[in-house]
Amino acid sequence: NTKFYGEICFALSKDLYNWKKLDNIFISPKKTKYESFVSPSVVKFNNIFYLFIEGQIKNNSSIIIYMSDDLKSWKFFKNLRLSNNNKNFFSPYAIKIKNKIFCYYAVNKTHIFCSLLDSDFNIIETFLCFSKSHKDEQNCIYAPMVLRYKNKYLLFYSAFRSQYSSNLKIATSPNGKIWKKHPKVLFKLNKKIKIISEPFVLISKSMLHIFFEYKISTKWNIGVKTISIKILDN
């Protein structure tokens, strides 16, 4: 679509490399006040699937939620919306930690925050994880994604050195609240690829599968890089 517009779609894979896109659109911003939906994140809580989405309208982004009991039929979840006319909330990622939902997101692409939700999706507290600070984060940071590995939590995120150059980085935490950023970017880029962002990471068979959005020339696509899980022990 040539207009500013995004929908939430779905694809299936048996091996994490070959994917089949389903024809139907799962969630569309049509008939809502939003112009585009991006950055989906699903968490299962009390046998219900909750889909966290960045809803975009004009020059503002908010975080909204849809819910489903079968991953097919979705309805808007009215109990929670992160929105502010003076701030933009980007790229939510939700994870369950000790029977609570930790919703990570970027604010104005300069800070990574987390809102801690109880079983009724009330916000218990909101805390700052970290802000942009390193040279390779001079332009912005966003798109946090969190997983647990051994006795720690890992937060993968997009770090833009400039408008035309970005890579993925990691922060670690013992509890999902206090984070320490690692100074190095995650891996070397192909010479033709200057921008990668929006990480999503899976661990399978002692390997780390890192999915990301990347840009070559003016075209965007989805890629994956598989590396040994031992990198997480460094």
Side-chain angles (χ1 to χ4, degrees):
N1 198 316
T2 57
K3 295 182 179 180
F4 174 70
Y5 182 75
E7 299 169 325
I8 306 302
C9 301
F10 199 75
L12 294 173
S13 175
K14 295 182 179 180
D15 58 9
L16 299 180
Y17 289 97
N18 299 291
W19 292 84
K20 181 181 180 181
K21 292 191 292 184
L22 301 188
D23 292 333
N24 55 318
I25 297 167
F26 275 66
I27 299 178
S28 168
K30 294 178 179 178
K31 298 183 180 180
T32 75
K33 72 174 186 177
Y34 298 99
E35 298 173 353
S36 182
F37 285 162
V38 296
S39 302
S41 167
V42 177
V43 63
K44 188 177 182 181
F45 195 70
N46 293 336
N47 294 318
I48 299 293
F49 296 98
Y50 294 91
L51 177 63
F52 290 70
I53 300 173
E54 177 188 326
Q56 302 174 334
I57 181 170
K58 295 182 179 178
N59 296 319
N60 188 259
S61 292
S62 302
I63 293 173
I64 59 175
I65 302 176
Y66 279 77
M67 60 187 298
S68 173
D69 57 8
D70 59 5
L71 289 175
K72 295 179 180 179
S73 177
W74 295 88
K75 63 180 180 179
F76 183 64
F77 182 68
K78 299 179 180 180
N79 293 27
L80 177 69
R81 182 166 68 102
L82 296 174
S83 180
N84 188 310
N85 290 333
N86 298 317
K87 296 179 181 179
N88 283 301
F89 297 85
F90 297 97
S91 54
Y93 187 82
I95 181 174
K96 184 167 67 173
I97 300 176
K98 295 182 178 179
N99 208 36
K100 291 182 174 60
I101 299 296
F102 284 60
C103 178
Y104 296 88
Y105 51 91
V107 176
N108 293 339
K109 292 188 177 180
T110 57
H111 311 282
I112 302 297
F113 274 86
C114 180
S115 289
L116 180 58
L117 313 176
D118 64 16
S119 58
D120 295 318
F121 280 68
N122 298 309
I123 297 178
I124 302 171
E125 64 174 306
T126 295
F127 53 88
L128 174 67
C129 299
F130 52 83
S131 303
K132 67 174 188 176
S133 58
H134 297 152
K135 281 186 176 180
D136 45 35
E137 303 170 352
Q138 285 182 342
N139 184 267
C140 69
I141 58 173
Y142 71 103
M145 183 273 164
V146 178
L147 60 78
R148 182 174 176 82
Y149 174 68
K150 293 184 177 179
N151 61 345
K152 60 185 176 183
Y153 292 92
L154 303 170
L155 191 155
F156 298 81
Y157 65 100
S158 304
F160 277 70
R161 177 182 290 269
S162 71
Q163 184 181 353
Y164 309 102
S165 175
S166 72
N167 206 319
L168 307 180
K169 296 184 68 176
I170 298 179
T172 57
S173 171
N175 55 13
K177 288 187 174 183
I178 301 171
W179 292 90
K180 177 183 178 182
K181 289 195 293 183
H182 289 230
K184 294 184 179 180
V185 293
L186 196 54
F187 46 75
K188 280 191 173 183
L189 298 181
N190 182 302
K191 290 183 179 180
K192 293 182 179 179
I193 301 174
K194 301 298 182 182
I195 294 178
I196 62 172
S197 62
E198 307 276 351
F200 183 83
V201 183
L202 292 173
I203 297 175
S204 176
K205 298 179 180 179
S206 299
M207 300 299 290
L208 202 62
H209 304 274
I210 307 169
F211 296 85
F212 49 85
E213 181 182 61
Y214 69 93
K215 186 177 184 180
I216 295 182
S217 185
T218 60
K219 296 182 179 180
W220 291 92
N221 210 331
I222 303 297
V224 60
K225 187 175 182 67
T226 300
I227 55 180
S228 171
I229 201 172
K230 293 180 180 179
I231 191 176
L232 300 181
D233 296 319
N234 297 333

